[in-house]
């Protein structure tokens, strides 16, 4: 399977990226913000949902990937222990709330109620796989209420 490379410049694009990073796992220390460049990078092990759509149901994979956001600022973490760099987070979704178009806030929503929220001048995100995939026996599942 070729490596995934996506870019988002609007809410619709960001929804596609959100679907691809759903159930990604990462450590708190994998979140890096570069204030001088106003650039946020999140390294993760994403579940390859795109593989699930194209391959057999028993072919489950994870891939190392990076999700980055340009023009980011005013980062706020809620229910994330920033001092626990090895703590594992499970990413559920990426959402956008417009303020003064094209600006807004992006929220990274994690299992257990954690949120990383930041402002953006506009949506400018990229998701890229960084290497080979590896097999996993576990497929994430969510109980629907």
């Amino acid at each position: 399977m070729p490596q995934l490379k996506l870019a988002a410049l609007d809410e619709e694009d960001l929804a596609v990226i959100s679907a691809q990073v759903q159930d990604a796992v990462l450590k708190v220390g994998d979140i890096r913000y570069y204030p001088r460049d106003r650039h946020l990078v999140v390294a993760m092990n994403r579940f390859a949902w795109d593989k699930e759509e194209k391959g057999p149901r028993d072919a489950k994979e994870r891939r190392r990937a990076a999700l980055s956001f340009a023009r980011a600022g005013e980062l706020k973490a809620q229910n994330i222990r920033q001092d626990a760099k090895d703590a594992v987070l499970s990413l559920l979704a990426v959402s956008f709330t417009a303020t003064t178009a094209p600006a807004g806030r992006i929220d990274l929503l994690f299992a257990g109620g954690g949120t990383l929220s930041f402002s953006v001048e506009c949506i400018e995100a990229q998701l890229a796989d960084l290497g080979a995939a590896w097999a996993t026996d576990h497929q994430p599942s969510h109980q629907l209420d």
Side-chain angles (χ1 to χ4, degrees):
M1 182 172 83
Q3 292 188 351
L4 188 66
K5 293 182 184 192
L6 298 173
L9 299 174
D10 60 27
E11 274 187 85
E12 200 171 289
D13 295 343
L14 194 60
V16 172
I17 286 180
S18 179
Q20 293 302 322
V21 299
Q22 179 182 345
D23 299 310
V25 290
L26 59 127
K27 292 182 179 180
V28 171
D30 290 333
I31 302 169
R32 301 290 176 118
Y33 180 60
Y34 303 94
R36 197 168 106 191
D37 299 326
R38 300 191 68 221
H39 198 91
L40 176 69
V41 179
V42 181
M44 62 185 66
N45 298 333
R46 74 172 187 89
F47 186 81
W49 289 109
D50 48 321
K51 169 75 173 179
E52 282 291 301
E53 293 172 4
K54 296 176 185 167
R57 297 301 279 165
D58 60 346
K60 299 172 198 69
E61 295 180 351
R62 284 205 176 266
R63 291 180 169 267
R64 191 69 176 159
L67 175 60
S68 66
F69 298 91
R71 305 170 194 254
E74 302 172 10
L75 275 71
K76 295 179 184 173
Q78 182 176 2
N79 297 325
I80 297 174
R81 287 198 46 210
Q82 297 174 48
D83 61 329
K85 300 296 184 194
D86 287 331
V88 176
L89 300 171
S90 179
L91 182 59
L92 299 179
V94 180
S95 67
F96 175 77
T97 304
T99 52
T100 306
R105 289 202 71 74
I106 291 180
D107 293 316
L108 304 182
L109 307 169
F110 297 98
T115 303
L116 178 63
S117 179
F118 53 95
S119 65
V120 290
E121 293 175 26
C122 60
I123 296 173
E124 195 173 324
Q126 294 181 339
L127 172 66
D129 287 341
L130 302 175
W134 63 92
T136 181
D137 292 330
H138 176 71
Q139 178 174 338
S141 63
H142 302 276
Q143 196 171 14
L144 301 175
D145 294 331

